């Protein structure tokens, strides 16, 4: 085991340490959230020397795993050019495993000048409208490890599992703390939680809209979230917006048929829609009653959504 490569080892979502199919240890919280301790499972008969050697090999494995998956955070810790507020904010990112709700650090973000923000951006920190995060750490492997380390730091008896990769939204679990969703890479918003990077792409769309006067949800917004109109309205309400729903009526079709006896000169003198039946010999169909557009299919501009931020979330 001591000579086995790291590729034969892994950690479970409950903090277990595996060598192939064999459980040979577990992770326990250390003094530093990014430095958990490996505890080996070794029978007393093996003796303290063997136990120490197995424990040391497990510690090497998890230390290298954290260094590889959380390299952007390690770079922040090692960067001696980060000073003052930038360095302090960098360590806030390290303490939060690379993702934090912007509301929790709003004052700190406001205090950062452009040079400080630029220095942090070089390390991959993105200042979003709803979250401050490091996109590289939202990948499945870092997310899985982040949840384990977060659960260890909170002394949880049962560790929450990471969501299946590739899902833009997931159901918001009842009774689950918002911090769990955040550490899983999602932001709770109503009945569903949305992936942080996709939420910030949605936020970029919303910036172009009149959030005070209200705006209409468009197909791009629904497409990026993969939601129905009902789900989207619930999502926006969960983000602090208000939503009103309505239906748009189809325009009544008006078709005019010009008779073959109409001369080009006559047609040029007066616009077709202004000519009467006597002048053109035209037959105008009676407009049909306006019809409501479908309220189901997203491809059609079906329902009006007017959104504005609530004062409490402004």
């Amino acid at each position: 085991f001591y000579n086995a490569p790291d590729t034969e080892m892994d950690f479970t979502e409950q903090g277990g340490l595996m060598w192939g199919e064999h459980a040979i240890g577990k992770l326990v919280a250390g003094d530093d959230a990014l430095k958990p301790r490996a505890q080996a499972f070794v029978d007393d008969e093996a003796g303290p020397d063997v136990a120490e050697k197995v424990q040391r090999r497990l510690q090497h494995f998890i230390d290298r795993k954290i260094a590889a998956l959380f390299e952007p955070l390690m770079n922040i810790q090692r960067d001696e050019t980060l000073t003052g507020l930038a360095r302090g904010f960098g360590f806030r990112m390290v303490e939060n495993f690379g993702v934090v709700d912007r509301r929790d650090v709003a004052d700190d973000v406001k205090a950062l000048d452009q040079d400080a923000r630029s220095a942090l951006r070089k390390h991959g920190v993105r200042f979003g409208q709803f979250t401050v995060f490091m996109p590289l750490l939202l990948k499945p492997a870092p997310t899985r490890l982040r949840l384990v380390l977060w659960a260890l730091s909170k002394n949880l008896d049962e560790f929450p599992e990471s969501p299946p990769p590739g899902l833009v939204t997931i159901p918001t679990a009842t009774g689950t703390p918002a911090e769990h969703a955040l550490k899983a890479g999602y932001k709770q918003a109503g009945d569903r939680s949305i992936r942080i990077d996709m939420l910030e792409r949605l936020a970029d769309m919303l910036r172009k809209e009149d959030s005070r006067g209200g705006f209409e949800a468009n197909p791009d917004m629904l497409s990026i979230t993969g939601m129905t109109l009902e789900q989207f309205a619930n999502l926006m309400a969960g983000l602090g917006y208000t939503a009103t729903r309505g239906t748009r009526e189809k325009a009544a079709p008006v078709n005019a048929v010009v008779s073959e006896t109409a001369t080009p000169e006559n047609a040029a003198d007066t616009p077709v829609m202004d000519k009467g039946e006597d002048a053109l010999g035209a037959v105008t169909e009676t407009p049909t009653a306006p019809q409501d557009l479908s309220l189901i299919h997203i491809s059609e501009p079906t329902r009006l959504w007017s959104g504005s931020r609530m004062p409490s979330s402004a």
Side-chain angles (χ1 to χ4, degrees):
F1 166 72
Y2 193 84
N3 294 322
D6 282 0
T7 53
E8 294 183 6
M9 305 176 200
D10 199 5
F11 63 91
T12 72
E13 294 190 346
Q14 296 301 311
L17 293 171
M18 307 291 293
W19 179 31
E21 298 178 353
H22 306 288
I24 55 174
K26 67 176 182 178
L27 295 174
V28 296
D31 296 333
D32 187 326
L34 289 179
K35 295 180 179 179
R37 292 186 295 107
Q39 187 177 93
F41 298 157
V42 180
D43 292 338
D44 293 338
E45 292 82 355
D49 291 341
V50 171
E52 191 276 334
K53 198 169 186 178
V54 173
Q55 187 276 333
R56 186 167 65 247
R57 180 66 185 88
L58 287 174
Q59 193 67 51
H60 289 166
F61 160 71
I62 196 62
D63 288 346
R64 283 195 288 263
K65 179 67 72 172
I66 292 174
L69 294 181
F70 285 167
E71 183 179 3
L73 291 180
M74 300 301 182
N75 290 338
I76 289 178
Q77 286 184 323
R78 291 190 290 260
D79 189 354
E80 296 181 356
T81 64
L82 286 178
T83 58
L85 294 176
R87 186 168 185 80
F89 195 89
F91 275 93
R92 287 291 298 271
M93 295 301 296
V94 172
E95 293 170 351
N96 287 277
F97 308 102
V99 56
V100 62
D101 192 313
R102 180 153 179 161
R103 293 174 298 184
D104 296 337
V105 292
D107 293 337
D108 294 336
V109 172
K110 289 180 182 179
L112 294 172
D113 58 25
Q114 290 303 315
D115 289 340
R117 294 193 186 200
S118 177
L120 290 167
R121 287 193 182 101
K122 290 179 181 178
H123 283 286
V125 177
R126 179 180 176 187
F127 296 89
Q129 180 173 329
F130 296 97
T131 53
V132 182
F133 65 103
M134 305 178 78
L136 287 177
L137 300 187
L138 295 183
K139 294 181 178 181
T143 295
R144 179 170 169 259
L145 179 57
R146 177 171 53 247
L147 282 173
V148 171
L149 298 181
W150 172 74
L152 284 172
S153 69
K154 297 298 182 181
N155 295 315
L156 299 182
D157 294 329
E158 184 175 350
F159 295 6
E161 296 182 358
S162 58
L167 298 180
V168 175
T169 66
I170 57 175
T172 298
T174 305
T176 301
E179 189 178 3
H180 164 229
L182 200 66
K183 293 300 180 283
Y186 289 78
K187 168 81 171 176
Q188 285 189 0
D191 294 338
R192 300 190 70 81
S193 299
I194 182 170
R195 211 170 70 200
I196 289 171
D197 56 339
M198 302 305 284
L199 172 61
E200 295 303 340
R201 286 181 60 185
L202 174 63
D204 291 340
M205 293 182 181
L206 299 182
R207 286 193 193 95
K208 303 174 185 177
E209 305 294 340
D210 181 5
S211 60
R212 288 179 178 247
F215 58 90
E216 181 181 331
N218 58 53
D220 289 339
M221 295 177 187
L222 300 178
S223 176
I224 200 173
T225 59
M227 290 181 165
T228 65
L229 287 166
E230 291 291 342
Q231 290 172 334
F232 186 78
N234 183 272
L235 171 79
M236 298 307 296
L239 293 174
Y241 288 76
T242 56
T244 57
R245 302 168 181 82
T247 57
R248 180 189 288 123
E249 295 181 342
K250 286 183 178 179
V254 178
N255 299 319
V257 180
V258 182
S259 70
E260 295 180 357
T261 59
T263 63
E265 291 79 6
N266 291 337
D269 291 341
T270 310
V272 172
M273 295 304 296
D274 290 343
K275 291 189 176 184
E277 185 174 343
D278 293 340
L280 286 174
V283 178
T284 303
E285 295 182 1
T286 303
T288 58
Q291 299 176 356
D292 290 342
L293 292 182
S294 170
L295 297 178
I296 299 175
H297 302 293
I298 298 175
S299 59
E300 297 185 52
T302 58
R303 183 171 295 186
L304 305 182
W305 184 89
S306 178
S308 57
R309 293 301 298 268
M310 294 180 178
S312 61
S313 300

